[in-house]
Structure formats: structure tokens, C-alpha cells
Amino acid sequence: MNNFTYCTPTRYLFGRNTESETGRLAKEYLGDPRKVLVVSGGSSAKKSGLLDCVTTSLRNAGIEIVGMEGIKPNPTDDRVYEGIALCRKHGVEAVIGVGGGSVIDTAKAIALGVPYDGDFWDFYAGKLTPEKALPIGVVLTIPAAGSEGSGNSVITKIDGLHKISLRSDFALRPKFAVMNPELTYTLPPYQTACGIADMMAHVMERYFTPTEHVEVTDGISEGLLRSIIAVAPCVFANPQDYDARANIMWAGTMAHNGICGCGRTEDWVSHFMEHELSAVYDVAHGAGLAVVFPAWLTYMANVAPARPARFAREVMGVPSTFDERTDALSGIERLKAFYRSIGLPVTLRELGVENADISLLVKKLHENKGEIIGGYHKLDAEATEEIYRLMV
Ligand code: NZQ
Ligand code: ZN
């Protein structure tokens, strides 16, 4: 097992009606701000009445609000610049995201940019490490990206379509996250499925590792994946099944708050490959992952089958044939069948990407992430091109 630091300073307030506590939480955990920026998405939080409930709770706590609406999925740098300018103009002291990963990541980027005199993109370009940001709070509406408990923020620079994930140990972790499973009842089935694929991928990126003797972390990861797969059908059968929604919501946080990576090297190639897909073709991140992961695993079944075989047996319930490659391939078939059963695509064509420009994807991938990538098994451009071809 490798040395590690594990820190999740976020206070999670989980359960029914918790959104009405946002004002109290902001006072207590965001440094008693006089004014906050409330960032939200397209329309869902407005339609459901959530935005009203959150702003009322903040006003009742004596906090003034500056609003910023309309953050789109796969959020872009232009909205971040706009948010930073708004915060400076109004003297905002904290940022609250009401929505999913796209909203929360934008809130994080704004919070990081306000106290920095230069261009906030310097952090995403890897020129600087985030050390301070305005305090961030979150009201989560979709279990998926795990941004409510992660130190990450993923933003696309419109110029050049560079989608970059910035990872910080502390500065970008929300001070609190309000998580009411009832807020996810309105999610369309496709978004619910995308979220499930994303949270599974967050566990899998950490599970596929060359590090040995990490049984505790393996056990947590396999248990999480099995639980997600077991509970998922209940959410689709009855979108208002509170307990199923609650389990999926908590799984999404556990998948990405770092616990599944403790003591081991992580992989992340599938995310890197997907980020190029969603940057270029603007597809939903989770749906992209349902296409990328089986292709990546198929490549691994040939070159490094040990972990894919264990995944097949321990997570997908494949009986052992004592041949790692055979077991791995059976596991991949079961994983694809699961994705399909919840309405996800497993090929680029099914994702709606006809004639993908694979050379462009490979070029951008290695420009953004380096010549050789991958923690489980090292891959060069020839290998990643082969993996993209397996997705067609
Ligand atoms: O904008 P609204 O109207 O709210 O609609 C959203 C959006 O269209 C909708 N939605 C959210 N909650 C809803 C709802 N619709 C009905 N009822 C609700 N309760 O869902 C759509 C998708 O929202 P989005 O925020 O984009 O989803 P998600 O949470 O999957 O975030 C995806 C983004 O996060 C990044 C992805 O790359 C992508 O840009 N990621 C962020 C990570 C992080 N910060 O740690 C890690 C991830 O790996 C990921 O890369
Ligand atoms: Zn993800």
C-alpha cells in the first residue's frame, strides 16, 4: 500500500428538507458572509422551486444574494470570467452552487478566480496550484460528478476546446453540501443513468491500479459498485423511491471524495479520453464514459488482464474460468449489458457521434495530458488510438 493523505472536510447535510437549512449553513461554514453569489443551471432548480427555497433561506439568515443562472452542461470559461467580475463588482464573500457538476465546477472556478489577480485559467493550465478561494457551499440536484465532495473542477476553454480537470487537495472542496434525495426525483431517466455511469467510473478509475495489498480500499470499491448496480433498477422502476435515490446519491459522493483511492495509484485514462469527447462533441459526460470504459477494458483484457478479471468476478459476478482474459471479457459483456439496461449507449454511434475524428481526439488528448498516460497500464498515442477505434 502507498502512503496517502485523506481529507474530506466537507460537512454533508443529507436528507429531506435539508435545503431549507442553506442560510444557517452559509452563516456557520462560509464565514458568516454578508453577500453570496448563487450559481445555478438552466431551469430545473427554478421549476422545482428549489432556487426560491434556497434564496429564501439565505435571505432569512440576513445574507444578500447576487444571482447567476443558466450554467450549461460541460461548462465553459466565459461564464467563469463573468462570475468573477460579478463577485468583484458586488463585493461577494462566498459562492453557493445549486445544481450538478457543471454548476458546482463553475462555482468553484469563480471562487478560485476572485482572490487571484491574474487569469483564473492559469490554474487549469497547470501554471499555479490552487491555495485560496472564496468559501464554497453546494446544494446538489444530481448524483453524478461527485463535485460536492471532491477537490476538482472541470472547465472547458472555448478557445481550442480544452476541457481540463483541475484537482486540488483542499482549496476547492466545498465547506458544506446539502443533499436531499427528493431533489433528484425530477431527473430524466437519461440523466439519472449518466450519473450512475459517472459515479461507477469514479470508483473504477481508482480500482484499476498496479498497487498491490490494498484490500480495504478494494473492498470499499467493490461494495460500492455492487450496491450501485443492485439499486439502480429500483430508481428506474420508481423515480420517487426515496431509499433508492438516497443510496445512489450517497454512492455518488463516496465514489469521488477520495476514499476509493486511498493507498494506491489511480488510472484516469478513461476520464481523459471522455473529456476529449465531451469537449469536441458536447455529449453528456456519463454517457461518454459508458462508451469509453468498455473499450478501455477490452484493450486491458489483452495487455493487463489481472484487474479486469478481478472486476469481472467480484463486481459483475462472473464465475471464474481460471483464465484471466476470458473472465475479463465476460465481465465487459455484463458491464455493457448493465449500461444498456439503464438506457446508455456503449458505442460512439449509439452516443450520436458518427464518423468521430479519432486523430483529432488522440492529438488533443496527448496535448492536454502528456505523451504517455495511465496509472494502471501506460499508454501512448498508438494505444489510445486503438482504444478510440474500439468504441466505434
Ligand atoms: O441546468 P438544469 O436545468 O439544472 O439541467 C441539468 C442539466 O441539463 C439537469 N439536472 C440537474 N439536476 C436536475 C436536472 N434535471 C432535472 N432535475 C434535477 N434535479 O441535468 C443536466 C446535467 O447537469 P450537469 O451539472 O452537467 O451534470 P453532472 O453532475 O453530470 O456534471 C457534469 C459535469 O461535471 C464534470 C463533467 O465533465 C461535466 O462537465 N465532472 C466534474 C467532476 C468533479 N468536479 O469532480 C468529476 C467528473 O468526473 C466530471 O468530469
Ligand atoms: Zn466523471
Side-chain angles (χ1 to χ4, degrees):
M1 193 191 288
N2 300 340
N3 290 0
F4 65 90
T5 302
Y6 177 58
C7 173
T8 55
T10 305
R11 178 168 299 258
Y12 301 104
L13 198 69
F14 194 101
R16 293 184 170 97
N17 300 323
T18 43
E19 62 276 20
S20 60
E21 305 242 15
T22 312
R24 175 182 69 77
L25 292 168
K27 270 180 98 64
E28 223 166 313
Y29 302 108
L30 303 185
D32 199 5
R34 276 169 296 126
K35 217 180 259 185
V36 297
L37 180 76
V38 175
V39 185
S40 59
S43 59
S44 73
K46 210 167 194 175
K47 247 195 240 161
S48 67
L50 171 64
L51 206 53
D52 268 351
C53 172
V54 168
T55 50
T56 303
S57 171
L58 288 165
R59 285 199 182 103
N60 287 345
I63 299 170
E64 279 181 59
I65 294 159
V66 178
M68 182 173 162
E69 298 181 4
I71 302 302
K72 295 201 183 105
N74 300 319
T76 44
D77 58 344
D78 53 338
R79 300 305 312 270
V80 178
Y81 291 115
E82 183 190 328
I84 293 170
L86 263 179
C87 287
R88 288 184 180 150
K89 179 171 167 206
H90 295 281
V92 161
E93 292 163 336
V95 185
I96 296 181
V98 181
S102 298
V103 164
I104 300 169
D105 287 358
T106 305
K108 287 177 172 178
I110 293 169
L112 181 62
V114 172
Y116 175 59
D117 284 340
D119 182 350
F120 92 94
W121 192 257
D122 289 348
F123 295 98
Y124 291 74
K127 292 184 194 161
L128 285 172
T129 306
E131 260 150 34
K132 62 173 179 182
L134 295 184
I136 302 151
V138 165
V139 180
L140 185 67
T141 64
I142 169 172
S147 190
E148 69 281 3
S150 82
N152 296 45
S153 162
V154 186
I155 301 291
T156 299
K157 190 178 184 54
I158 294 173
D159 182 12
L161 288 179
H162 295 292
K163 184 171 186 179
I164 303 291
S165 175
L166 170 67
R167 191 172 193 171
S168 76
D169 281 341
F170 304 109
L172 296 182
R173 288 192 189 258
K175 302 282 185 240
F176 70 81
V178 167
M179 299 172 64
N180 175 357
E182 289 175 332
L183 299 177
T184 69
Y185 288 175
T186 51
L187 276 171
Y190 187 65
Q191 284 300 338
T192 301
C194 288
I196 286 171
D198 193 17
M199 65 183 76
M200 287 176 70
H202 294 156
V203 182
M204 287 150 72
E205 297 283 14
R206 295 167 164 103
Y207 181 77
F208 292 102
T209 176
T211 313
E212 295 185 331
H213 311 300
V214 277
E215 287 304 328
V216 171
T217 308
D218 270 343
I220 293 169
S221 306
E222 287 164 355
L224 256 179
L225 288 167
R226 283 195 301 262
S227 309
I228 295 167
I229 291 170
V231 172
C234 307
V235 172
F236 294 97
N238 175 10
Q240 305 207 355
D241 178 335
Y242 179 85
D243 290 317
R245 288 286 194 189
N247 276 288
I248 291 293
M249 197 173 211
W250 188 229
T253 305
M254 296 282 285
H256 200 37
N257 73 359
I259 198 164
C260 295
C262 287
R264 60 188 178 192
T265 300
E266 304 177 3
D267 189 71
W268 293 102
V269 164
S270 301
H271 262 71
F272 297 162
M273 296 185 81
E274 194 298 314
H275 282 164
E276 298 310 333
L277 281 177
S278 46
V280 176
Y281 299 107
D282 200 20
V283 295
H285 172 62
L289 286 165
V291 173
V292 174
F293 239 110
W296 179 87
L297 276 166
T298 304
Y299 185 91
M300 291 304 148
N302 288 321
V303 297
R307 293 293 287 184
R310 176 172 169 152
F311 170 80
R313 291 190 302 267
E314 300 298 330
V315 177
M316 303 312 299
V318 170
S320 174
T321 63
F322 301 99
D323 179 73
E324 285 180 338
R325 185 171 175 276
T326 305
D327 291 354
L329 292 175
S330 304
I332 296 161
E333 285 315 307
R334 289 190 185 199
L335 178 66
K336 287 205 266 191
F338 170 72
Y339 287 151
R340 283 208 164 103
S341 76
I342 60 172
L344 288 173
V346 297
T347 65
L348 285 174
R349 209 157 279 135
E350 289 171 11
L351 184 64
V353 180
E354 296 279 345
N355 306 317
D357 187 343
I358 289 176
S359 322
L360 174 72
L361 294 167
V362 171
K363 181 170 163 283
K364 289 179 82 268
L365 173 67
H366 290 279
E367 257 171 30
N368 286 330
K369 294 296 166 195
E371 224 174 291
I372 305 290
I373 55 174
Y376 176 56
H377 185 82
K378 302 264 175 255
L379 300 172
D380 60 12
E382 201 181 319
T384 54
E385 179 173 341
E386 191 176 331
I387 296 173
Y388 273 124
R389 294 208 182 283
L390 285 168
M391 297 172 205
V392 176

